[in-house]
Amino acid sequence: MAAKRSLVVVESPTKVKTIQKYLDSKYIVKASMGHVRDLPKSQLGVDPKKNFKPKYVVSPAKKKILVATDPDREGEAIGWHLAEELGVAKKNVYRITFNEITERAVKAAFTQPGKIDLKKVDAQQARRVLDRLVGYSLSPLLWEKVQRGLSAGRVQSVAVRLIVDREREIKAFVPVEYWSLHARLKAARPPEFVATLKEVAGEKASLGNEEVTRALMASLEGARFVVKSVTRGERRRNPAPPFITSTLQQEAGKKLGFTARKTMTIAQQLYEGIDLGSEGAEGLITYMRTDSVRVAREAQAAARGWVIARIGDDYVPEAPPTYRSRGSAQEAHEAIRPSELRNEPRAVAQFLTKDQMALYRLIWERFLASQMMPAVYDTVGADIEAGQCVFRAQGATLKFKGFTAVYEESRDEEDAQPEQEPEGQVPPLEEGEVLTLLALDPKQHFTQPPPRFTEASLIKALEELGIGRPSTYASILGTIINDRGYVHRERRTLSPTELGMAVTDKLIPYFQDIMNVEFTAQMEDNLDKIEEGQRKWVDTVREFYEPFKRDLARAKREMQSEKVGAPTGETCPECGSELLEKRGRFGKFLACSSYPDCRYTRNLDGSGRAEDEPANENCPTCGKPMVIKHGRFGKFIACSGYPECKTTKPVTLGIACPETGCTGQLVERRSRKGRTFFGCSAYPNCKFVVWRRPVNEPCPKCGAAFVTERVLKNRTVRSCAREGCDFEREVELPVT
């Protein structure tokens, strides 16, 4: 180190460029690329007999790299490891924290250096040791009892269980039929409106089937529809708080279609710094791993000034709004917000990628909206008598835009109520007014099972249950979906694979604590108490480890192995040994009992390798069974005789290409950016493309060969694929 120069260490090289320009020549900024020390990958690295003493090793490539830290537990621990490894006297180690990488924030942080918080270090060390004890104990057990390459974790296993339990709830669900009745009415003044049946003979309306509904409709023939009462009021809708990590992941999933991992990757880029041309690199958002909704006063003042100047002073409240964080939130942190309001999205758009721009605009608009006035609606409700029936009409008209002038939050799929009539326009009505009945419209419904989790709704559930922490959600989802194959993602929804269900069923009987939601949440609370100085980390780990050790010993003795497999009586065509029935990612398959000496496998129907799905057809080239494989751009069909036979073809949907003269079939494909679309199998000779999923059903209006389908919250809508045709209808399908 040069004389009289102080070392500033950050975690990534991107930060080096951004921060160095804010500091004078007496500082030198270096990056470590993350941790300098960690538990060894090749062994447990924790000694339970010596108070769970961790064995830390230095990453070979980082012995000369110096590290600084982010403002969270892991950042605190990285700084501590750095100080320990360098052997620097404690009095010469200072902790610098800032929530945004801007000149103002960085320079202010250097005027108030602190010391490393050892309670935070202990909390992070406890989490690391707990996760290592669980992962390095359960994973070998699964290798032995199920199949090699599996893993289990203290939090990931509970997340998989939530998805498994939801799937079984869906499969066990029995739909119940019910009907609703709607009256289309006309008053003295427009517009026409709809009222929904609410009461029959003073009781809540209950129409169980078509027969009951038709009978009630018959009883209303000739009945007068008279306004019984009219209620007018006002409803205020408050803005949502600024983003924290979990809500950012949820909203980016719902509005932008981003995975949690993609959201955090882009947010990291925006935080660390974007090159803004002549202004150089600058962090555009505050720290993105936070569970606090607190906003600095300066940021609130800047937001109020922006709204007053651009929209009007009616749009800001008298005092800046405050929001309550969840109990364990660290109030020293801030919510996720733009670091400088002068960097408006349109002003920096030329320096951002499309995805960076989308996420930055989302954060920008959400923050501004959180500092604005509520939206105000004029509401009207009318009860309308007809014979023994009471119908109700409800309307709402936007009176004052408030925060909606900037931002509208996505509606949560699980909170939506499909049976509830949307509010529309209701004309001016007077009590006693006689209305004209235009039509009675009966509608058949079926109760719906709970929807499958999406990444957004699973993150919301994990947060509400107290499982994991904001910084862990992206890695949890990445592990169970991408790395281990326990969960399958299709059209944004998550469902367990057969392997995920099998692993969950194996673990529950023997590890009821680890697989228990309440126990996992309690462990998170204990980690918070370590950080607060209310618990010792070694005591917390010991309380967990003693019963876990007993459960592990019992599982090793009693858990039935599926790796051996059930005998089938068939012999292996390659070595003559017996074939065994086993379970894999895509279901059960047959494998040679002489594994690993013989690696023969096939599906139960005789087609292909165990990791492939049967295609139920034979290869036109060699006659061997065809199988469905999963490639970079989606599914495709290939010969099971590969590499001897390289015949492949796309998976068709059974729908002919609509282009004139084309004999191709529509197939599902995936773009380079991961978006699903549907194109012609004759590509590149035919370049027909449609982005919505085709359904083999002719359009009843124009006769087009097929319609397309899209899922909107809790309803499924089909519309014509032909340009210029406006056919569209809602279908009664469960959202899965």
Side-chain angles (χ1 to χ4, degrees), residues 484-500:
R484 301 303 175 191
Y486 295 154
V487 175
H488 175 63
R489 183 199 293 115
E490 183 175 3
R491 298 171 68 184
R492 297 194 185 182
T493 63
L494 306 178
S495 58
T497 62
E498 189 162 341
L499 180 60

Side-chain angles (χ1 to χ4, degrees), residues 355-390:
D355 288 342
Q356 288 173 340
M357 181 61 183
L359 192 65
Y360 183 56
R361 182 181 295 279
L362 193 67
I363 294 168
W364 169 278
E365 293 176 350
R366 172 76 164 236
F367 169 65
L368 278 177
S370 73
Q371 304 302 305
M372 294 173 66
M373 289 286 289
V376 182
Y377 298 83
D378 282 332
T379 61
V380 58
D383 283 352
I384 300 160
E385 281 188 326
Q388 291 186 313
C389 299
V390 175

Side-chain angles (χ1 to χ4, degrees), residues 475-526:
S475 61
I476 291 169
L477 290 168
T479 297
I480 65 178
I481 297 172
N482 303 322
D483 301 340
R484 301 303 175 191
Y486 295 154
V487 175
H488 175 63
R489 183 199 293 115
E490 183 175 3
R491 298 171 68 184
R492 297 194 185 182
T493 63
L494 306 178
S495 58
T497 62
E498 189 162 341
L499 180 60
M501 298 180 83
V503 169
T504 299
D505 291 343
K506 281 290 185 186
L507 293 175
I508 288 176
Y510 299 98
F511 302 96
Q512 294 186 8
D513 283 346
I514 289 177
M515 301 298 289
N516 182 275
V517 170
E518 290 77 13
F519 179 85
T520 305
Q522 182 60 51
M523 184 57 67
E524 295 293 347
D525 289 339
N526 288 341

Side-chain angles (χ1 to χ4, degrees), residues 326-485:
R326 60 194 301 263
S328 60
Q330 301 179 54
E331 287 303 324
H333 290 178
E334 271 199 76
I336 304 171
R337 60 169 176 81
S339 53
E340 295 283 0
L341 280 176
R342 61 179 171 79
N343 290 324
E344 296 186 27
R346 62 183 178 182
V348 299
Q350 61 180 313
F351 306 109
L352 303 179
T353 66
K354 180 180 177 181
D355 288 342
Q356 288 173 340
M357 181 61 183
L359 192 65
Y360 183 56
R361 182 181 295 279
L362 193 67
I363 294 168
W364 169 278
E365 293 176 350
R366 172 76 164 236
F367 169 65
L368 278 177
S370 73
Q371 304 302 305
M372 294 173 66
M373 289 286 289
V376 182
Y377 298 83
D378 282 332
T379 61
V380 58
D383 283 352
I384 300 160
E385 281 188 326
Q388 291 186 313
C389 299
V390 175
F391 289 77
R392 182 165 299 155
Q394 298 183 104
T397 305
L398 182 63
K399 180 180 180 180
F400 175 65
K401 287 184 177 182
F403 74 92
T404 64
V406 173
Y407 174 83
E408 288 256 17
E409 186 181 16
S410 297
R411 190 180 180 192
D412 197 305
E413 297 94 334
E414 296 203 8
D415 291 340
Q417 300 179 20
E419 71 277 4
Q420 182 176 333
E421 281 297 304
E423 293 178 324
Q425 283 192 312
V426 176
L429 299 174
E430 302 293 337
E431 291 186 14
E433 182 178 352
V434 178
L435 307 173
T436 301
L437 175 66
L438 301 176
L440 284 175
D441 297 326
K443 291 185 180 180
Q444 183 188 35
H445 308 272
F446 291 91
T447 55
Q448 298 292 307
R452 287 194 176 104
F453 284 113
T454 62
E455 283 203 10
S457 61
L458 181 61
I459 288 171
K460 181 180 179 182
L462 292 172
E463 182 182 35
E464 290 178 345
L465 294 168
I467 299 172
R469 282 297 177 260
S471 60
T472 65
Y473 296 144
S475 61
I476 291 169
L477 290 168
T479 297
I480 65 178
I481 297 172
N482 303 322
D483 301 340
R484 301 303 175 191

